[in-house]
Amino acid sequence: MRTQLKDVTKDTERAEVIGWVHEVRDLGGLSFYILRDRTGFLQATVVKKKAPEAVTECARNISRESVVRISGIVKATEKAPGGREIIPETMELISRAETPLPLDVSEKVLAEVDTRIDNRYLDARRPKVGAIFKIRSAVTHALYDLFFSEGFINIHSPKIVAAATEGGTELFPLAYFEKEAFLNQSPQLYKQMMMSAGFEKVFEIGPIFRAEEHNTTRHLNEATSIDVEVSFTDHNGVMDLLERAVVAAYTNVEKLCSDELELFDVDFTVPKSPFPKITYAQAIDIAAVSIDEDIGYGDDLSTAAERAIGEEMGQHYFITDWPTEIKPYYAMPYEDNPEICKAFDMMHPRMELSSGAQRIHQHDLLVEQIINKGLSPESFEFYLKPFKYGMPPHSGWGLGMERLIMTMLDLPNIREAVLFPRDRHRLTP
Ligand code: ATP
Ligand code: AMO
């Protein structure tokens, strides 16, 4: 029976293990093989004079990153990682790795991102890279737990659609028989329609597609969005939910991934709630005195502005009360001041993580806003119809999974938080 490497301890007498050969050190009469599996490392030590001939024969032919099976006696030794080693009685080469390797797995310094992603199957063998995806999995687990424990219904919205949701510029067109179709930019319209259906609380964690023209370190063409929509609550209600989601994600990572976190040079602390809130007007004031660019009320927040405000805030925070003009048509204007709306962004000091809003639920007002944005209500017919037949007040947000992970672990590039990233120059692997 195979034992995982972390379960081989100083007190283990005998074990059978299978792993990748992470390192080979041949000192002539003595050779060391560091085995690796997803749980850790184990040194196998072969003393040529003492080992069975079949073992020395197999050991001689072993290349790094080959898969081997070893059975033997376990001994305590301070000189090996984890304070123990295995002395092989049998050794079998299960799958040989060719040399040279396209990427050095044991190398401490990471190769260029492009080389790494070209060889992702090897790159992900590095404990630090594997750790990112174990942490991402713990975040996903925490979010599903939170949403289910709060009575949310999980939905899956279509990814092939006929209309833009977030504005038409970042759309990927698709050959769809005789019709024009696109990859969906956001579940926005569908999660709202389910409010009309009476589902009350829905969530979806799934792909979104955006034809981002430029390569940046925080944009992907295929990203994962954590989306929620909730009826009978306003923007403040869903901002509270967003805080709970971020705190739950961090808390689960702290609980389950302490070994993984040790691999990162990051000051990991669960964000304190409530997150501070500033209005868009206050955010612009901070940016105006902090950055060289010309920035004023009504402008989008540039990357430099986001950084400057983030530095001032020093933790996760909300920007509320945005000008209606620069937020999407579905954001609800304040009744007493329609120039501003009940939209918010949730920010990490480094960048935006989430956008959300209380939505317009009145059909005629929504049509008016669609027209104000220069869009045509005809192309939104399927979306607008539910607003005529009993649409409850509702609010929601979308939170970028990769940005959440990237900021949590202080990763320099968003591509590190996706197994197989898609950008303008990359469609494989
Ligand atoms: P969202 O689009 O979801 O609101 P975001 O963080 O991408 O989130 P944007 O409003 O698209 O926000 O961009 C904010 C700023 O980031 C822009 O003003 C611009 O400075 C920079 N930026 C956004 N997209 C790009 C891009 N594709 N290339 C270069 N810079 C970009
Ligand atoms: P928005 O367009 O702000 O809002 O997107 C929500 C969040 O999704 C993430 N995100 C991305 N991450 C990586 N690469 C991209 N190209 C990318 N685009 C977006 C960001 C962003 O904050 N429908 C609204 C949400 C809502 O109101 O419910 C929406 O899509 O972290």
Side-chain angles (χ1 to χ4, degrees), residues 206-228:
I208 56 169
F209 304 92
R210 300 194 182 187
E212 307 281 357
E213 284 208 33
H214 308 282
N215 272 329
T216 79
T217 53
R218 62 192 177 90
H219 289 90
L220 294 161
N221 289 342
E222 179 174 2
T224 307
S225 182
I226 303 150
D227 271 276
V228 307

Side-chain angles (χ1 to χ4, degrees), residues 166 186 188 191 210 212 220 330 352-353 355 359 397:
E166 307 297 315
S186 160
Q188 182 67 34
K191 61 182 184 170
R210 300 194 182 187
E212 307 281 357
L220 294 161
Y330 49 71
E352 175 199 313
L353 296 188
S355 303
R359 324 297 192 183
W397 43 256

Side-chain angles (χ1 to χ4, degrees), residues 161-165 189-190 192-193 196 329 363 366-367 370-371 375-389 391:
V161 296
T165 56
L189 308 186
Y190 297 91
Q192 285 195 261
M193 287 196 285
S196 167
Y329 54 85
H363 176 269
L366 187 55
V367 171
I370 288 174
I371 293 169
L375 302 167
S376 106
E378 289 73 43
S379 56
F380 288 94
E381 201 188 339
F382 76 94
Y383 165 66
L384 286 169
K385 217 167 157 190
F387 287 80
K388 290 201 227 173
Y389 300 98
M391 177 62 92

